[in-house]
Amino acid sequence: MRFTFRALPAASGGALTPRPVVDITLDGLEAAPIECLLDTGALRTRMSAEIAPLAGIELSGDLTEEFSIAGLKTVGTMARVNLMVTDGTDEFIWDAPVWFCDPWPHPFGLAGLEGFLQHFLVTIHAYHGYLEIEPESELQDS
Amino acid sequence: MPTMTVSGHQYSLNSGNIEAALQGALPEPIHEHFVVINGRRWPPKQVVALVTGLDRADFTSHHARRVLTRLGFPAGRTVTGRGHHTVASGATAPPLSAAYGADERPAPSVETLRPYIGLWVAVCGDEVLVGAPSPKEVVAWLSQHGQRAQSMFRVVDSEQAITGAAPQ
């Protein structure tokens, strides 16, 4: 499954460097998959807490962690969610912990190790501006 | 200020009061005809209904489009009910042409996204379905109009918003 890097307009004019992103659908919010930046340095998969109620996810606050991101102190609350990615032809569905954070400084979610990268074989073709993901074979067999 | 007749009523309209009437409103899905106002595509009938308060059954799309083009707004028509821009160029990257395979889906170009800087958008193919200040409003619009997006994100309003992303 292939995802082309996405370019955004720069507020100062021109365009920002295209970035590796994957659109991840949360169970309950099928109409609006969330753009997530592939972040190989992130331990968690994180999104804005604003997104959770839109998917019908109640953040109980049982499992939270405080951390800093982009210079901002924030609190993440974990919820297990069914996630899905599709390229319009195939789709992959998996269950994973997602940390919904408030406040959240980024305009997209972060697809990190837990929740995303551990579930896929990811190949980044940065020069050509795209990435490919395949479900890990061990996960498919289990 | 030019005076125009819509459905037998006379209205004094100019581009300024059209733009003002659209403040706070979100464009409905484009089925065929559209006009471009402040960089966004709007169904002509929605615009004229918002400005005049008339029922949409009282005038046609063609009439609404004619009124708006006379005020200087560019108009267009989609071929299949969705916009058809060219694929994003990725201007600052190495050549992307090799990336486009059979499974490639188009994405809105940088120029298509530019009017939405600072807003949350829902996109499908190369088209922006809706842009709004919050994801809640975007999702509400999708639900209201029975639309499904390919991706939802906020178009960054500062370059710093997408740097230094790794959690500590």
Side-chain angles (χ1 to χ4, degrees):
Chain A
M1 192 177 288
R2 177 181 290 196
F3 297 92
T4 305
F5 287 12
R6 193 166 290 155
L8 292 171
S12 53
L16 301 173
T17 303
R19 285 155 200 270
V21 294
V22 177
D23 298 318
I24 299 180
T25 304
L26 280 69
D27 188 23
L29 188 54
E30 289 79 6
I34 308 300
E35 182 185 84
C36 292
L37 181 73
L38 189 71
D39 189 348
T40 58
L43 297 180
R44 317 279 201 206
T45 292
R46 302 186 192 275
M47 296 179 185
S48 166
E50 276 183 287
I51 302 297
L54 305 179
I57 298 166
E58 201 171 314
L59 298 177
S60 63
D62 289 345
L63 193 50
T64 63
E65 66 178 14
E66 218 177 82
F67 64 103
S68 294
I69 184 164
L72 184 73
K73 198 170 179 182
T74 186
V75 177
T77 303
M78 194 276 273
R80 291 205 73 92
V81 188
N82 264 317
L83 302 175
M84 191 265 285
V85 288
T86 181
D87 62 357
T89 305
D90 297 321
E91 62 181 37
F92 303 145
I93 298 169
W94 71 104
D95 175 77
V98 174
W99 293 77
F100 293 96
C101 305
D102 181 25
W104 183 246
H106 294 303
F108 34 60
L110 293 180
L113 192 61
E114 176 193 78
F116 185 78
L117 292 167
Q118 285 175 342
H119 296 262
F120 295 98
L121 169 65
V122 180
T123 310
I124 301 174
H125 302 261
Y127 181 79
H128 289 115
Y130 70 97
L131 65 98
E132 289 177 315
I133 64 169
E134 284 299 322
E136 276 293 354
S137 54
E138 286 177 27
L139 290 171
Q140 284 178 304
D141 295 341
S142 61
Chain B
M1 188 177 292
T3 302
M4 300 192 184
T5 303
V6 184
S7 189
H9 301 84
Q10 288 228 322
Y11 296 92
S12 295
L13 300 173
N14 62 24
S15 58
N17 60 24
I18 297 279
E19 288 168 0
L22 302 183
Q23 290 290 324
L26 295 176
E28 293 172 3
I30 306 296
H31 298 297
E32 186 178 358
H33 296 286
F34 63 85
V35 288
V36 181
I37 301 173
N38 287 334
R40 294 202 201 182
R41 294 178 175 197
W42 293 81
K45 289 188 81 168
Q46 182 192 3
V47 174
V48 170
L50 279 170
V51 172
T52 62
L54 288 170
D55 191 292
R56 294 181 201 195
D58 292 342
F59 54 92
T60 65
S61 276
H62 285 85
H63 191 184
R65 192 176 58 165
R66 201 161 52 243
V67 166
L68 296 166
T69 52
R70 277 181 58 197
L71 293 171
F73 296 111
R77 182 179 175 176
T78 62
V79 178
T80 61
R82 287 215 181 279
H84 285 271
H85 307 285
T86 52
V87 169
S89 65
T92 56
L96 290 180
S97 53
Y100 297 133
D103 58 349
E104 188 57 40
R105 290 189 293 177
S109 70
V110 164
E111 289 315 312
T112 303
L113 290 170
R114 193 171 299 284
Y116 299 93
I117 284 178
L119 295 178
W120 283 83
V121 293
V123 305
C124 189
D126 54 10
E127 186 184 6
V128 176
L129 297 175
V130 62
S134 74
K136 187 177 179 182
E137 288 165 89
V138 169
V139 170
W141 186 96
L142 292 170
S143 170
Q144 182 187 349
H145 297 289
Q147 300 278 308
R148 196 166 179 146
Q150 189 177 310
S151 183
M152 179 171 74
F153 55 92
R154 183 161 55 83
V155 182
V156 292
D157 50 10
S158 84
E159 281 79 330
Q160 285 70 40
I162 53 173
T163 57
Q168 296 172 358

